[in-house]
Amino acid sequence: MEKRFMDSQIKGVSTGTTILAVTFNGGVIIGSDSRASIGGYYVSSKTINKLIQVHDRIFCCIAGSLADAQAVTKAAKFQISFHSIQMESPPLVKAAASVLKELCYNNKEELQAGFITAGWDRKKGPQVYTVALGGMLLSQPFTIGGSGSTYIYGYADAKYKPDMSKEECLQFATNALALAMGRDNVSGGVAHLVVITEEGVEHIVIPGDKLPKFHDE
Amino acid sequence: MSSIGTGYDLSASTFSPDGRVFQVEYAMKAVENSSTAIGIRCKDGVVFGVEKLVLSKLYEQGSNKRIFNVDRHVGMAVAGLLADARSLSEVAREEASNFRSNYGHNIPLKHLSERVAMYVHAYTLYSAVRPFGCSFILGSYDQDDGPQLYMVDPSGISYGYWGCAIGKAKQAAKTEIEKLQVRILLEPSLRQGKILLNCLICVCYCYQQMKDMTCRELVKEVAKIIYIVHDEVKDKSFELELSWVGEVTNGKHELVPKDVREEAEKYAKDSLEEEDDSDEDNM
């Protein structure tokens, strides 16, 4: 019991997840694993969806306490939808990320959830934003998050190139997820990927046995 | 003139039998008593011009400004009760600032003008408060959306415009602004070879369409319009307040620099003299 308590405290809130978002030429791919765990000992769900759609072309992936993340994304989804109707146009990805950031920052004492917001808008095209725990908002060409991300920083830094094609980007994202899920005990299950472009949104699910295999597997 | 609303005009919460809210109409009268303000939208920006009547020689030059900065990219020119206008400019500033705080980017002008219009409208609903006695013109320039111009009146409606005028000489100013647009109508018929009036053709070749003008050219036209509508007999001296926002200022709303203003005023005065001279010749 004590060990479990200490483990969660030490790990902080980068709890059992691998999430990532990568821009490519004409769109963005957002991906995650599908494992939810308690304390690193028990897998509470093998097929959870961590990719939440907050608007037609904007998705969010969640890390940290799932309860907090779901509450925040529900509030954000409402605010973004209302904002979009008032503006009479689809929301900017930056606006959606800002809404999440305000929720995280203003409630930072109570919440323990971080997000990656990614999407496409008419003004700036494909974008990726990180909203960290305390409410920091940062725009990046690609980003990785969650406990599993620590195992793939090297891979991501080495293999990412700007302006990839959709296929190259899919390969990059799939490999990254597979590598992370292979080493992180609290990441696993299936790989969820969503490809967002101006034309639409494509959801791809890759079951565990179809993921790319590397040496030793 | 308009009808007297005896008995039905004491509070904004009362309709008259013919469906009018007289308090709101009286508020619009307050705007018509004030001196003129105009705003015109061109290809790459928006220019404001205000005829600021100087009531006393003791006033410091540049005091009682009637053009406000609402956000970096948004300007507001007002007509009517200046105190009401100042309070509304604060409301507009807060709206723009809150929007940026929540959504991370500049507020689109249509949305801002709707929000402020909603606020103005709220004051036309109750007997405990009076409607705002001012109209104002909001203008902005954005890289993606281009130049935008909106006007809000005391009833709480906002309209988008290419060019608009508020204040005592608004009809005359609107006529002048429309003249800037007439050149658009004559151009296409020219191409078809239909000649309407010989003298006007020469004019057409020289002038450009308002929508194709740049801010630098439009500033001079705006100054000219203000000088034209200014009534020398009734009102004595006035200060011309000019401001712009557009490509020329990199999207920042600011008062026109001194040299540009002097050039515009000189152009306005010279044009007026020319017209005076031509009138004399005809006689």
Side-chain angles (χ1 to χ4, degrees), chain B residues 183-197:
Chain B
R183 297 159 199 164
I184 306 169
L185 298 171
L186 285 170
E187 285 265 279
S189 57
L190 212 56
R191 288 190 202 115
Q192 289 167 30
K194 287 183 195 147
I195 295 167
L196 299 172
L197 296 153

Side-chain angles (χ1 to χ4, degrees), chain B:
Chain B
M1 274 246 328
S2 46
S3 59
I4 305 168
T6 322
Y8 301 107
D9 60 347
L10 295 175
S11 82
S13 65
T14 312
F15 274 106
S16 75
D18 50 351
R20 297 153 72 172
V21 181
F22 278 103
Q23 277 297 306
V24 173
E25 295 190 16
Y26 296 162
M28 301 211 231
K29 292 246 184 64
V31 177
E32 277 168 37
N33 285 339
S34 120
S35 60
T36 323
I38 65 173
I40 307 186
R41 189 174 139 196
C42 62
K43 181 175 71 168
D44 63 350
V46 170
V47 179
F48 288 122
V50 177
E51 173 205 7
K52 192 172 72 182
L53 296 178
V54 177
L55 297 167
S56 159
K57 289 202 181 71
L58 296 173
Y59 278 151
E60 195 184 310
Q61 212 212 20
S63 62
N64 287 345
K65 281 205 180 353
R66 289 186 35 197
I67 298 183
F68 301 97
N69 238 318
V70 165
D71 198 349
R72 187 184 181 272
H73 65 304
V74 178
M76 175 168 154
V78 308
L81 301 176
L82 195 47
D84 286 10
R86 284 212 187 107
S87 144
L88 280 173
S89 75
E90 267 309 297
V91 168
R93 284 168 181 157
E94 276 174 31
E95 282 291 338
S97 169
N98 282 339
F99 185 94
R100 181 182 279 110
S101 170
N102 286 331
Y103 301 110
H105 64 97
N106 286 348
I107 187 168
L109 194 65
K110 181 163 191 273
H111 186 69
L112 174 63
S113 76
E114 278 169 5
R115 295 285 298 186
V116 186
M118 240 198 297
Y119 186 91
V120 168
H121 169 252
Y123 281 72
T124 66
L125 298 169
Y126 311 104
S127 58
V129 293
R130 66 161 173 81
F132 284 96
C134 64
S135 286
F136 50 94
I137 312 174
L138 291 163
S140 83
Y141 178 76
D142 179 65
Q143 277 263 312
D144 303 291
D145 303 323
Q148 306 272 321
L149 189 68
Y150 284 85
M151 196 262 278
V152 178
D153 68 9
S155 64
I157 323 181
S158 83
Y159 298 98
Y161 286 91
W162 270 102
C164 70
I166 48 180
K168 62 170 67 143
K170 74 171 185 220
Q171 272 310 115
K174 277 194 189 144
T175 315
E176 293 299 321
I177 296 173
E178 276 164 28
K179 277 192 200 158
L180 285 175
Q181 253 203 320
V182 156
R183 297 159 199 164
I184 306 169
L185 298 171
L186 285 170
E187 285 265 279
S189 57
L190 212 56
R191 288 190 202 115
Q192 289 167 30
K194 287 183 195 147
I195 295 167
L196 299 172
L197 296 153
N198 278 321
C199 48
L200 278 169
I201 299 163
C202 313
V203 165
C204 277
Y205 277 122
C206 306
Y207 292 124
Q208 291 162 281
Q209 302 175 23
M210 176 171 74
K211 290 180 191 175
D212 287 334
M213 272 194 215
T214 64
C215 273
R216 284 196 188 277
E217 292 153 6
L218 191 57
V219 165
K220 296 195 278 206
E221 298 297 333
V222 165
K224 182 175 160 197
I225 294 175
I226 296 283
Y227 269 85
I228 291 175
V229 304
H230 172 66
D231 190 341
E232 277 294 333
V233 177
K234 283 201 195 138
D235 309 310
K236 301 299 169 187
S237 59
F238 79 102
E239 242 181 71
L240 172 62
E241 249 182 81
L242 282 171
S243 80
W244 58 5
V245 59
E247 280 263 13
V248 64
T249 62
N250 248 322
K252 178 168 183 276
H253 174 258
E254 53 192 28
L255 288 179
V256 150
K258 191 153 170 267
D259 54 332
V260 178
R261 184 160 58 84
E262 282 167 5
E263 192 196 335
E265 283 190 308
K266 185 168 173 302
Y267 171 84
K269 286 180 188 152
D270 291 345
S271 313
L272 275 181
E273 272 174 27
E274 260 179 43
E275 285 183 19
D276 281 345
D277 287 342
S278 63
D279 281 342
E280 282 168 20
D281 285 343
N282 286 339
M283 282 175 64

Side-chain angles (χ1 to χ4, degrees), chain A residues 123-198:
Chain A
K123 198 166 169 175
K124 280 209 197 139
Q127 296 146 75
V128 167
Y129 291 89
T130 311
V131 179
L133 235 47
M136 170 194 81
L137 175 63
L138 191 58
S139 168
Q140 295 168 301
F142 81 97
T143 190
I144 53 182
S147 62
S149 67
T150 52
Y151 304 102
I152 50 170
Y153 272 106
Y155 176 78
D157 287 342
K159 288 294 182 179
Y160 173 76
K161 330 189 282 269
D163 273 335
M164 286 187 275
S165 71
K166 179 178 152 192
E167 290 66 33
E168 285 178 314
C169 193
L170 259 173
Q171 196 58 52
F172 170 75
T174 317
N175 285 348
L177 279 174
L179 286 165
M181 281 151 66
R183 287 292 183 183
D184 187 23
N185 66 327
V186 285
S187 295
V190 307
H192 286 290
L193 289 160
V194 173
V195 183
I196 308 168
T197 56
E198 179 178 2

